């Protein structure tokens, strides 16, 4: 149980750092959404391909994640009035593991 709490604390730090302008990666943000206990997951099969859609709202921050297997297709993180992250695999694949400042 302590390991789970530690993971959630680390994820919260990642997201807060994203808001304040410190470094994190798309993969780290996606892991936060995937492993958060309040994340809502929906699975769909379209044209024979399985996709997973994740929604999370935490402390006024909205997260939306689309995946095909373990491949991140889309990740959006925003507040009511500010876009924090907008990742699309077709456009941003080379930035998946790059540490960058998210504001």
């Amino acid at each position: 149980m302590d390991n789970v709490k530690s993971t959630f604390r680390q994820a919260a730090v990642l997201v807060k750092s994203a808001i304040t302008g410190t470094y994190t990666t798309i993969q780290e943000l996606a892991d936060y959404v995937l492993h958060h206990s309040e994340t809502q997951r929906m699975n769909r099969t379209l044209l024979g391909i399985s996709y997973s859609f994740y929604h999370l709202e935490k402390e006024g921050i909205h997260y939306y994640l689309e995946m095909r297997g373990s491949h991140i297709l889309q990740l959006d993180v925003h507040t009511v009035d500010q876009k924090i992250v907008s990742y699309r695999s077709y456009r941003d694949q080379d930035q998946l593991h790059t540490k960058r400042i998210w504001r």
Side-chain angles (χ1 to χ4, degrees), residues 19-70:
I19 292 170
T20 60
T22 56
Y23 293 92
T24 191
T25 67
I26 294 296
Q27 185 65 58
E28 290 169 336
L29 288 172
D31 288 342
Y32 171 73
V33 175
L34 286 170
H35 297 103
H36 197 284
S37 63
E38 295 177 30
T39 297
Q40 298 173 351
R41 177 180 177 173
M42 180 178 67
N43 294 315
R44 289 209 132 155
T45 301
L46 305 167
L47 301 173
I49 302 171
S50 296
Y51 297 90
S52 298
F53 305 90
Y54 302 86
H55 296 271
L56 174 65
E57 182 181 346
K58 193 72 178 166
E59 297 180 18
I61 303 170
H62 302 271
Y63 305 85
Y64 176 74
L65 173 65
E66 289 182 8
M67 297 186 72
R68 186 181 72 230
S70 62

Side-chain angles (χ1 to χ4, degrees), residues 1 5 7 10 18-19 40 55 57 63 69 80 90 94:
M1 187 62 147
K5 287 180 183 177
T7 301
Q10 290 171 342
I19 292 170
Q40 298 173 351
H55 296 271
E57 182 181 346
Y63 305 85
V80 172
Y90 63 85
D94 60 331

Side-chain angles (χ1 to χ4, degrees), residues 69-80:
S70 62
H71 183 74
I72 299 168
L73 300 174
Q74 177 177 334
L75 175 63
D76 292 315
V77 181
H78 64 89
T79 63
V80 172

